[in-house]
Amino acid sequence: MDLVAELDGPPIQAVPVTEAASTAREWITALQPRGIEGVMCKRVGSPYRPGRIWVKVRVSVPADAVIVGYAGPVTRPRTVALRLPSGAVRFSRPLTAALSAEVAAHVRRTGGARGRRVLDGVPYSGCAELAAEVEAGTTRHPTVTVRRVRPDHL
């Protein structure tokens, strides 16, 4: 650390390293209240390079949400508008092909689109409500990933 002590610019800090997945999971849990958004996973001998194949494991919290609309064609929605437990409405990350097909089937089964709406400047079509299990990211870039739809709930 003495080598970089007098440099101008962003601080450089030592970070912990482990080869044990259980230890990394403990760090995620313990450090989340301090604003740590996840851990980086890489092969031991993998140097940092642009386009790296490192993986960031982020903290996420499972939650129930309600799908209230979709963006993209009705035959293959790309993303859905979700009402979260807090009442906030957010777009999900892109849907998998299987989830897109389930949402499309729900929209067809319940009578199609229900008006056009706009969220964050992006237009979407409203639809009959559909329960979903989501993972809501707790990072500085809030993301919501749909894990499954739950037509038996609501």
Side-chain angles (χ1 to χ4, degrees):
M1 294 305 283
D2 293 337
L3 294 174
V4 295
E6 295 182 26
L7 293 178
D8 290 331
I12 296 174
Q13 64 189 70
V15 295
V17 176
T18 183
E19 292 184 16
S22 60
T23 301
R25 282 191 287 276
E26 289 173 16
W27 289 343
I28 289 174
T29 303
L31 297 175
Q32 182 184 356
R34 293 176 53 193
I36 303 300
E37 62 184 48
V39 297
M40 294 298 297
C41 303
K42 69 175 200 74
R43 293 177 191 256
V44 172
S46 174
Y48 179 85
R49 287 190 198 112
R52 65 193 186 264
I53 56 170
W54 298 6
V55 176
K56 185 169 195 173
V57 178
R58 298 176 190 269
V59 176
S60 65
V61 178
D64 289 327
V66 178
I67 295 172
V68 296
Y70 62 92
V74 67
T75 56
R76 188 174 171 95
R78 290 184 303 271
T79 185
V80 291
L82 296 152
R83 187 173 57 243
L84 301 175
S86 66
V89 176
R90 288 218 178 96
F91 279 119
S92 70
R93 295 183 68 142
L95 299 174
T96 64
L99 284 169
S100 179
E102 286 188 74
V103 172
H106 167 76
V107 173
R108 282 192 308 275
R109 196 172 45 250
T110 58
R114 299 189 177 178
R116 296 290 283 169
R117 302 174 187 166
V118 177
L119 176 61
D120 297 331
V122 178
Y124 72 96
S125 299
C127 69
E129 293 185 351
L130 174 63
E133 180 180 302
V134 301
E135 285 189 16
T138 59
T139 67
R140 60 190 162 139
H141 306 292
T143 59
V144 182
T145 303
V146 178
R147 291 295 172 212
R148 65 183 173 132
V149 296
R150 304 181 72 182
D152 55 327
H153 287 71
L154 260 190

